[in-house]
Amino acid sequence: MSTGILSDRICLITGSSRGIGLGVARVFAENGASVVLHGRDEESLGESLAELSEPQKHSYITADIITAEGAGVLAAAFPRLHERLDVLVHSAGILGPPGIPLAEYPAESWKDVLHLNLTAPFLVTQALLPALRKGDHPSVIFVSSGLGYKGRAGWGAYSVSKFGVEGLNQVWADELEAEGIRVNAVNPGGTRTQMRAVAYPQEDPMTLPTPEDIASVFVWLARADTAVTGQSLEARDWVGRDPAI
Ligand SMILES: NC(=O)c1ccc[n+]([C@@H]2O[C@H](COP(=O)([O-])OP(=O)(O)OC[C@H]3O[C@@H](n4cnc5c(N)ncnc54)[C@H](OP(=O)(O)O)[C@@H]3O)[C@@H](O)[C@H]2O)c1
């Protein structure tokens, strides 16, 4: 899927040291984008950057965004790398303690999951609006989940945070449409990552698509000539589809 359709697009992907964020970064880079990776661990970010196509075009930011201060660190670091932002993908996320019913759910975990999965994407989008406003046909992409439309026992704060992400997507999309900033959400569906392996330890990961397999919809939303906004899309519907068409 190497098309150059993202050439000259400047893209920041949170949570891209591994998993879905890194898979999307790899496919964006293959299609010509300049990518800014993000995570907490400098060493893994350096390794991830080195394996992207044309590594000299890319960079990374290290910031723990589980607090408002950390989200501020990420947002403050970006303008030192690029003057404008064309594509912002919010992939950083945590599960929280799996299988714990709300009756026993620890308040500290609730706070952390809601902050990283929901408040950080709000704060980072808000702080990066000046760079997005300078962007070329800018696009913001939230990463949601099927648990953001249908709650399920034992998924506690994770499910609630993804319901919040769906709402955040709709409100930002409505508020930014007049400025030409598109905002959409993607539900990756079950994908072969560390998070999925923790959530479903009995599952054979080889039965799942890889992060690169599900990246087509992200590429399509990142293109300068895609017009949709305010949508919530299923990445699984796009597996095998050519985002250049
Ligand atoms: N995998 C699935 O089947 C699936 C299904 C539906 C939705 N999702 C969603 O897809 C997104 C990515 O999930 P994934 O499966 O790729 O997870 P993953 O493999 O666990 O990767 C999570 C990413 O988030 C980063 N991260 C975690 N805590 C962070 C923090 N405090 N500050 C900054 N970065 C942090 C991690 O970087 P470091 O640990 O290196 O800092 C890593 O890059 C999440 O929003 C998840 O809810 C995944």
Side-chain angles (χ1 to χ4, degrees), residues 15 17-20 38 40 64-65 91 143-144 158 162 191 193:
S17 57
R18 62 169 189 272
I20 291 170
H38 158 259
R40 287 169 298 180
D64 183 342
I65 59 170
S91 193
V143 178
S144 182
Y158 181 83
K162 295 299 183 179
T191 308
T193 68

Side-chain angles (χ1 to χ4, degrees), residues 21-99:
L22 178 57
V24 169
R26 284 194 187 117
V27 178
F28 277 13
E30 273 166 28
N31 284 286
S34 291
V35 173
V36 180
L37 298 175
H38 158 259
R40 287 169 298 180
D41 181 51
E42 182 133 26
E43 198 179 330
S44 62
L45 285 167
E47 287 165 10
S48 299
L49 187 143
E51 63 179 54
L52 297 181
S53 144
E54 299 185 85
Q56 72 287 353
K57 280 170 68 171
H58 314 297
S59 46
Y60 63 77
I61 296 171
T62 312
D64 183 342
I65 59 170
I66 207 154
T67 61
E69 293 72 32
V73 168
L74 168 59
F78 181 81
R80 294 198 282 271
L81 296 171
H82 296 282
E83 211 173 285
R84 67 167 217 271
L85 177 57
D86 302 323
V87 182
L88 172 59
V89 181
H90 293 284
S91 193
I94 46 171
L95 264 186

Side-chain angles (χ1 to χ4, degrees), residues 198-212:
V198 170
Y200 294 90
Q202 317 300 347
E203 185 176 60
D204 175 2
M206 299 314 283
T207 61
L208 296 171
T210 66
E212 289 80 1

